[in-house]
Amino acid sequence: MWFFGRKGASGFSASSTAEEVTGGIDGTGLTAIVTGASAGIGAETSRVLALHGVHVVMGVRNMAAARDVKQAVIKDNSKAKVDLFELDLSSLASVRKFASEFNSSGLPLNILINNAGILAPPFKLSQDGIELQFATNHLGHFLLTNLLLDTLKQTAKQSKVEGRIVNVSSNAHRYIFGEGIRFYKINDESSYNRMRVYGKTKLANILHANELARCLKEEGVQITANSVHPGLVYTNIFKHQSLFAGLLDKIKSFACKTVQQGAATTCYAALHPQVKGVSGKFFVDCNVATPSSLAQDSNLAKKLWDFSMNLVQK
């Protein structure tokens, strides 16, 4: 649509693709982890990073689909460096296993892209007894980031290259319960609203990045943390919303971004020199944007951090 072409201060717009926003950038020598990389935005993010010389580690639940993505990436770019590690973000045990295997691999880590997510499934508890959307979209990434932080710090110190953490959130963070996060009702099936709970997890993604940014700055570490909204992209994330998916299928040509456009803001935040030193920000269409007031609440961010830490330590 016409508004897709309106450029912001970065020089990019909603119509910019991931390849366009990373044009001319050399990522040789960098290593990135991309979660949920077996399809959609995660797969495109992996492809574009690899295209620029980044060694991409795909953290995926569906290994068969990931192998197909890896083959396609290498077919497109014979010099691509891509590894696959199994990762189910809904399982804390799986997250710990992934982090242990990666940390033991000896690989550096410059970029962590917390991309994986699910949208509005029927109510279900994870194997750890936590509501599935909260477990997958926030808590798994919270634990993963904490377990990889030492490797990120060590890499930044040794390479003298800024490390970057990117949380893929959504403007859906505005569609929530009044107080934002009902900590006392995380597992309450009776009040479960699929889309509001999804919005809550996307709010959590922003708050997590903000608190990370504060802690890293306070520690004086050369690592930034930001969150991004990819835009409305028609991918398999809508598999639990058949009616909405059907509507999107009819209007996607003029109302939705392509996957290539949807991955742009993630790749911009992960690689672009304009983002150097920028931390604790929310990006939309490759430009800094203003999230909701709750997403800027530092007290809520700290409360979420403490609540999440308590859950992963049980």
Side-chain angles (χ1 to χ4, degrees), residues 145 149 165 167 205-221 223-227 277-281 301 305:
T145 304
L149 261 182
I165 299 169
N167 283 359
N205 293 152
I206 300 175
L207 293 170
H208 175 216
N210 291 352
E211 183 64 7
L212 263 174
R214 186 193 67 77
C215 292
L216 292 167
K217 182 179 180 180
E218 190 175 85
E219 195 176 336
V221 180
I223 301 171
T224 62
N226 293 294
S227 52
V278 177
S279 197
K281 299 297 183 183
W305 184 283

Side-chain angles (χ1 to χ4, degrees), residues 89-268:
L89 269 301
S90 73
S91 164
L92 297 180
S94 177
V95 172
R96 290 190 175 95
K97 182 173 181 290
F98 172 93
S100 176
E101 289 177 350
F102 181 85
N103 288 332
S104 299
S105 71
L107 288 171
L109 181 58
N110 305 91
I111 303 165
L112 172 60
I113 299 178
N114 292 319
N115 166 80
I118 56 173
L119 186 151
F123 180 85
K124 183 179 179 181
L125 296 180
S126 71
Q127 65 185 57
D128 300 293
I130 301 162
E131 187 279 315
L132 194 61
Q133 288 195 84
F134 189 79
T136 305
N137 297 355
H138 166 65
L139 198 63
H141 283 128
F142 174 84
L143 176 60
L144 178 67
T145 304
N146 281 4
L147 294 175
L148 295 174
L149 261 182
D150 283 345
T151 302
L152 276 160
K153 292 175 183 178
Q154 184 178 18
T155 301
K157 183 178 181 180
Q158 293 179 347
S159 67
K160 294 185 171 29
V161 175
E162 177 183 87
R164 297 188 183 183
I165 299 169
V166 181
N167 283 359
V168 178
S169 180
S170 169
N171 267 338
H173 78 274
R174 304 175 191 277
Y175 185 70
I176 51 173
F177 300 103
E179 62 269 53
I181 300 177
R182 294 177 171 179
F183 295 100
Y184 57 96
K185 286 189 174 183
I186 290 294
N187 292 338
D188 183 21
E189 184 174 3
S190 65
S191 63
Y192 183 71
N193 178 297
R194 298 186 187 194
M195 287 306 299
R196 289 191 187 276
V197 170
Y198 177 73
K200 173 188 70 180
T201 67
K202 297 293 100 179
L203 171 62
N205 293 152
I206 300 175
L207 293 170
H208 175 216
N210 291 352
E211 183 64 7
L212 263 174
R214 186 193 67 77
C215 292
L216 292 167
K217 182 179 180 180
E218 190 175 85
E219 195 176 336
V221 180
Q222 195 182 3
I223 301 171
T224 62
N226 293 294
S227 52
V228 304
H229 166 58
L232 184 60
V233 184
Y234 183 63
T235 68
N236 64 0
I237 196 172
F238 292 101
K239 63 185 179 182
H240 295 294
Q241 294 288 300
S242 56
L243 291 177
F244 188 48
L247 173 62
L248 282 185
D249 189 46
K250 291 181 172 57
I251 65 174
K252 64 183 177 183
S253 61
F254 62 89
C256 296
K257 286 185 176 184
T258 65
V259 170
Q260 292 77 17
Q261 292 167 336
T265 306
T266 301
C267 290
Y268 174 79

